[in-house]
Amino acid sequence: QQQVKQSPQSLIVQKGGISIINCAYENTAFDYFPWYQQFPGKGPALLIAIRPDVSEKKEGRFTISFNKSAKQFSLHIMDSQPGDSATYFCAASKGSGTYKYIFGTGTRLKVLA
Amino acid sequence: GAVVSQHPSRVICKSGTSVKIECRSLDFQATTMFWYRQFPKQSLMLMATSNEGSKATYEQGVEKDKFLINHASLTLSTLTVTSAHPEDSSFYICSARGGNRGAEAFFGQGTRLTVV
């Protein structure tokens, strides 16, 4: 009930291509779904987040697609750049500020120049 | 985004000594702070959740006497690794949530602990 499953584990994309990372959750009480980007030796940084009342949210080259009925959400990185090479984590939580985040297992993205 | 400052960024200590890691929210009141441990190429493993002024809630399998967490104010939480051993070597990351920042959680830069 508390798991967030993330795939793929690793991804290689050509520069300019689209990177797609998928996550699935089980607990229907979750109502906040952020994506984090982490570079080696650094803490995660919030990229974009979505709530279940919308099916899509776009910020620059990053888009979250959300399918409430399937309990799935995905991150799309358009026009992928070598600087996007990092590890990406999806997460799920309840909107309350005190509730913990449940993280996916991470996706290591490499964008080839 | 909000700023969460964690330090030290790196620390090397001798086996048997204690190490304190600080986590500060610089521009918002962090009602809740989380401490994570991350092994190479793995996800973040939640160690404990601390609410300001309350005792921390530890995840199953995390020794509360070994990893002491204090959240004495809305802007500061500390993690003390007591009697550190080489197997405690890891990347520790704090996260803060609350105040006027709603559901968002902001992470510190992480601390690389090496116990020799």
Side-chain angles (χ1 to χ4, degrees):
Chain A
Q1 270 275 320
Q2 288 287 74
Q3 275 190 320
V4 175
K5 294 180 180 177
Q6 183 172 346
S7 64
Q9 192 173 27
S10 62
L11 182 60
I12 300 175
V13 173
Q14 293 287 339
K15 178 182 175 181
I18 302 173
S19 304
I20 302 174
I21 305 170
N22 302 298
C23 283
Y25 64 99
E26 298 170 353
N27 190 341
T28 55
F30 291 146
D31 60 3
Y32 182 69
F33 304 90
W35 283 90
Y36 284 84
Q37 179 188 58
Q38 185 180 30
F39 293 104
K42 303 293 183 184
L46 178 65
L47 264 181
I48 186 171
I50 197 168
R51 290 193 180 270
D53 53 348
V54 296
S55 59
E56 187 175 281
K57 183 175 180 180
K58 184 176 180 179
E59 288 184 6
R61 295 185 295 111
F62 301 95
T63 300
I64 298 180
S65 296
F66 188 84
N67 186 330
K68 188 174 180 178
S69 61
K71 292 187 284 186
Q72 295 175 347
F73 58 109
S74 60
L75 175 70
H76 295 230
I77 305 175
M78 313 300 286
D79 187 27
S80 299
Q81 299 296 312
D84 297 330
S85 297
T87 300
Y88 293 81
F89 293 98
C90 64
S93 184
K94 297 178 187 176
S96 161
T98 62
Y99 196 78
K100 62 187 177 185
Y101 279 21
I102 308 299
F103 280 92
T105 48
T107 297
R108 275 184 284 143
L109 171 66
K110 183 169 184 176
V111 181
L112 302 176
Chain B
V3 179
V4 173
S5 176
Q6 181 178 345
H7 73 96
S9 57
R10 288 178 178 272
V11 59
I12 301 172
C13 71
K14 289 186 177 179
S15 190
T17 63
S18 295
V19 173
K20 181 184 283 189
I21 302 169
E22 286 191 351
C23 181
R24 294 180 183 273
S25 61
L26 300 184
D27 55 357
F28 73 104
Q29 294 185 324
T31 312
T32 305
M33 286 192 175
F34 306 91
W35 286 94
Y36 296 86
R37 183 173 181 177
Q38 188 176 35
F39 293 102
K41 298 182 181 179
Q42 291 192 24
S43 189
L44 293 83
M45 183 188 79
L46 180 65
M47 299 173 67
T49 301
S50 73
N51 293 303
E52 184 263 338
S54 303
K55 286 186 179 179
T57 302
Y58 290 80
E59 295 297 302
Q60 194 170 12
V62 178
E63 299 176 60
K64 63 174 91 173
D65 293 332
K66 181 163 191 64
F67 298 100
L68 300 179
I69 291 170
N70 183 277
H71 190 168
S73 77
L74 285 171
T75 58
L76 174 65
S77 177
T78 59
L79 166 67
T80 301
V81 183
T82 63
S83 186
H85 287 95
E87 56 266 31
D88 299 324
S89 299
S90 193
F91 192 56
Y92 293 88
I93 313 172
C94 70
S95 171
R97 219 182 161 182
N100 61 355
R101 306 314 299 243
E104 293 186 58
F106 299 92
F107 285 80
Q109 308 94 313
T111 297
R112 170 72 57 195
L113 170 63
T114 303
V115 185
V116 297

